[in-house]
Amino acid sequence: MIKPGEYIRDIFAQPVGTVLVARGWVKTRRDSKGISFVQISDGSCFTDLQVVIEAGTLPPETLEQITTGACVEFTGTLVESPAPGQPVELKASGCTVHGAAHPSSYPLQKKGHTMEFLREIAHLRPRANTFGAVFRVRNALSYAIHRFFQDRGFIYIHTPIITTSDCEGAGALFQVTTLDVAAPPRLADNAVDYTHDFFGKPAYLAVSGQLEAEILALAMANVYTFGPTFRAENSNTPRHLAEFWMVEPEMAFCDLDDDVELAQEFLQYIIRYVLDTCEADLAFFAKRIEPTVVETLEHVAQASFERITYTEAIRVLEASGRSWEFPVEWGSDLQAEHERYLTEEVFRRPVVVTDYPRQIKAFYMRVNDDEKTVRAMDVLVPRIGEIIGGSQREERPQVLRERLKECGLPEEPYWWYLQLREYGTVEHAGFGLGVERMMMYLTGMKNIRDVIPFPRTPGSADF
Ligand code: 4AD
Ligand code: MG
């Protein structure tokens, strides 16, 4: 096992003359005048360690096996490096090849692979520069998320992955069953008899942990859940996954203004953390993926977000003179093209849109005094569109009952959600950040399939 102090990241901080062991996978090898130059990576940092093997140092049968993709362990002495971009290199004195990587068939070569091809070799793509950088940023992002909430006294909770309620009321659910799908038990009217199913009723993968987070918030005030969520919507777009990670804070004694304020503070904190801790990875994304990525993040980390109501947003869109693919009219939902126009062209910074029409939002959002809109908020950012969705929750039991009915949902499965409104209810609010959308924003990566190690999308769940 590589111990702290032994990662390649740490080796770069050692003084010249240190004798040490370096382990990792070969990125490239180049031979010149009897000397071999081998770049190795252990994933700990963007820069590879250069190992220099002088003629006669290693037995020919070892040298032969040091090819791209091989897993190697070098011993040697750190020396000053004449090569640009690296302070030191390792002068090899010995090498063990743990696993050779058949040079004639190793699929990951130095350059020229498309992102589509790399998805087909998801078992090897973490060894490519781009994906090493993506997964280090993802790690830093996850850590920053916990740090932000822990520093503010939020309690981390785990909400269930299997549920029997559809939080968003959108119907895009994966069903979980142990019934024989080819021949399920049936009732007299031919409907499936779920009393024989594992949970005695239909069960699904959670689309959100929000409803359960609300339970905890009404006991522990400030909580957050952070886990995988599942949506069976058949949207084959660069911004949708069937399995994605969401962080959802939920706060008691909190209205929509507090909610928006926390969302801004949170986004700025995690951006700042990634800027401060992933400098080399971000420099790579700026050079190779999206030239504006770092300057945008620097700007957003400081600028205050624009805030407008849905009704104002509709007016801006109507006044744009554009011909939209999806028509703009009060009452219809904002589409990606509208969201991107607002944030990229009109305001040129993150935009928080609030107070959407009640008929296009979930049943749990608090109804405004105008009776037409609800206390919803979406945070939109350039290049991505919606990155956060949240709301103040309806805490009044009678209004909540009406909303369930209006949304065509039965009361019975929500009995506990309703009961919370009878016992110690309070103003409360929360939001959900899509971790992969945030990753796209941080890295400039264009397709959501390339910011999660093993993407799940319609027709694709390999690895
Ligand atoms: O806006 P959504 O649907 O909100 C909720 O689920 C609320 N229950 C959150 C809450 O208030 N606690 O989803 C939240 C975010 C979106 O803004 C988006 O970033 C991301 O989750 N998201 C997806 N990311 C990838 N693939 C999908 N299919 C996504 N659907 C939503
Ligand atoms: Mg949403």
Side-chain angles (χ1 to χ4, degrees):
M1 184 174 126
I2 297 179
K3 304 230 165 68
E6 297 173 353
Y7 292 109
I8 288 175
R9 181 183 61 210
D10 306 324
I11 289 175
F12 284 123
Q14 301 276 347
V16 164
T18 310
V19 174
L20 50 79
V21 175
R23 283 165 286 202
W25 289 265
V26 175
K27 281 268 181 72
T28 59
R29 167 176 164 182
R30 176 171 64 82
D31 289 12
S32 169
K33 299 180 194 134
I35 307 177
S36 300
F37 300 90
V38 181
Q39 308 283 332
I40 66 167
S41 166
D42 64 0
S44 61
C45 59
F46 186 79
T47 311
D48 301 326
L49 178 65
Q50 171 153 287
V51 182
V52 181
I53 310 166
E54 286 176 359
T57 317
L58 301 179
E61 60 277 16
T62 305
L63 200 55
E64 198 181 307
Q65 293 192 312
I66 302 174
T67 60
T68 302
C71 181
V72 291
E73 176 166 343
F74 281 104
T75 44
T77 308
L78 269 195
V79 297
E80 254 175 65
S81 176
Q86 54 192 30
V88 288
E89 59 191 27
L90 191 72
K91 190 170 170 241
S93 57
C95 177
T96 305
V97 177
H98 291 285
H102 313 290
S104 59
S105 60
Y106 186 63
L108 190 66
Q109 293 306 321
K110 192 169 190 288
K111 276 208 183 78
H113 295 312
T114 61
M115 293 291 171
E116 288 76 14
F117 172 72
L118 289 168
R119 269 172 230 146
E120 291 169 16
I121 53 164
H123 58 308
L124 297 172
R125 73 174 184 169
R127 301 185 193 176
N129 284 339
T130 305
F131 290 90
V134 165
F135 301 140
R136 276 187 299 276
V137 169
R138 194 176 167 110
N139 171 62
L141 169 62
S142 306
Y143 184 64
I145 287 168
H146 282 294
R147 246 182 60 167
F148 177 84
F149 290 116
Q150 293 293 325
D151 284 355
R152 280 157 189 75
F154 281 61
I155 306 286
Y156 176 38
I157 54 162
H158 300 106
T159 49
I161 286 174
I162 298 176
T163 81
T164 52
S165 61
D166 170 10
C167 169
E168 297 303 302
L173 298 161
F174 286 103
Q175 192 166 351
V176 177
T177 181
T178 51
L179 294 178
D180 177 357
V181 290
R186 295 195 184 270
L187 298 165
D189 65 357
N190 210 33
V192 173
D193 183 0
Y194 284 103
T195 58
H196 294 286
D197 202 353
F198 191 90
F199 299 103
K201 56 172 113 167
Y204 308 93
L205 294 180
V207 296
S208 160
Q210 178 198 322
L211 301 192
E212 290 87 356
E214 285 185 53
I215 297 179
L216 276 291
L218 293 179
M220 309 185 85
N222 293 332
V223 303
Y224 69 107
T225 177
F226 181 9
T229 43
F230 307 87
R231 298 197 184 174
E233 53 202 342
N234 204 355
S235 5
N236 229 326
T237 81
R239 321 186 304 151
H240 288 88
L241 288 169
E243 175 178 303
F244 64 98
W245 285 66
M246 185 152 60
V247 52
E248 295 180 277
E250 189 70 33
M251 296 77 67
F253 312 100
C254 181
D255 65 12
L256 190 73
D257 294 333
D258 300 327
D259 199 32
V260 170
E261 207 173 295
L262 187 79
Q264 174 173 332
E265 215 185 300
F266 172 57
L267 286 177
Q268 290 181 323
Y269 179 96
I270 55 185
I271 288 170
R272 187 76 261 156
Y273 184 86
V274 170
L275 280 168
D276 291 347
T277 58
C278 301
E279 214 176 320
D281 293 320
L282 292 184
F284 167 81
F285 291 121
K287 193 164 153 224
R288 296 287 294 279
I289 305 290
E290 170 58 56
T292 62
V293 73
V294 176
E295 54 193 272
T296 305
L297 295 176
E298 288 286 359
H299 172 67
V300 170
Q302 296 156 26
S304 66
F305 297 3
E306 184 70 34
R307 186 171 160 175
I308 57 167
T309 64
Y310 166 90
T311 304
E312 286 161 355
I314 291 295
R315 261 188 235 126
V316 170
L317 292 167
E318 280 172 344
S320 71
R322 297 269 172 126
S323 57
W324 303 105
E325 192 189 337
F326 295 91
V328 170
E329 59 179 330
W330 200 97
S332 62
D333 207 356
L334 299 183
Q335 302 295 326
E337 56 170 343
H338 310 132
E339 295 175 347
R340 294 188 57 172
Y341 174 75
L342 290 171
T343 181
E344 286 170 19
E345 297 186 45
V346 181
F347 299 109
R348 297 172 164 275
R349 53 187 171 138
V351 180
V352 187
V353 181
T354 63
D355 303 290
Y356 284 74
R358 66 193 285 168
Q359 66 269 27
I360 58 171
K361 286 293 188 186
F363 70 93
Y364 53 71
M365 298 188 183
R366 193 179 200 281
V367 178
N368 277 316
D369 293 343
D370 66 10
E371 300 269 312
K372 292 205 216 57
T373 58
V374 289
R375 304 247 75 191
M377 65 105 163
D378 278 5
V379 181
L380 317 178
V381 295
R383 287 201 316 268
I384 318 291
E386 181 193 336
I387 198 163
I388 280 181
S391 62
Q392 186 175 332
R393 319 307 187 189
E394 183 55 76
E395 85 285 13
R396 299 162 296 183
Q398 69 287 8
V399 183
L400 190 59
R401 282 204 175 81
E402 283 162 30
R403 284 286 285 150
L404 278 170
K405 191 182 290 170
E406 188 180 317
C407 296
L409 294 167
E411 271 185 31
E412 191 279 324
Y414 298 98
W415 67 270
W416 48 270
Y417 194 74
L418 284 159
Q419 204 172 84
L420 281 176
R421 274 71 187 162
E422 308 281 359
Y423 300 140
T425 191
V426 68
E427 251 184 4
H428 61 289
F431 61 80
L433 169 73
V435 167
E436 288 74 20
R437 299 247 177 114
M438 189 66 204
M439 279 295 299
M440 292 174 75
Y441 193 54
L442 289 169
T443 60
M445 294 292 286
K446 306 284 181 294
N447 194 308
I448 199 163
R449 294 164 176 81
D450 300 325
V451 296
I452 184 166
F454 307 106
R456 270 82 180 95
T457 52
S460 164
D462 293 336
F463 303 100

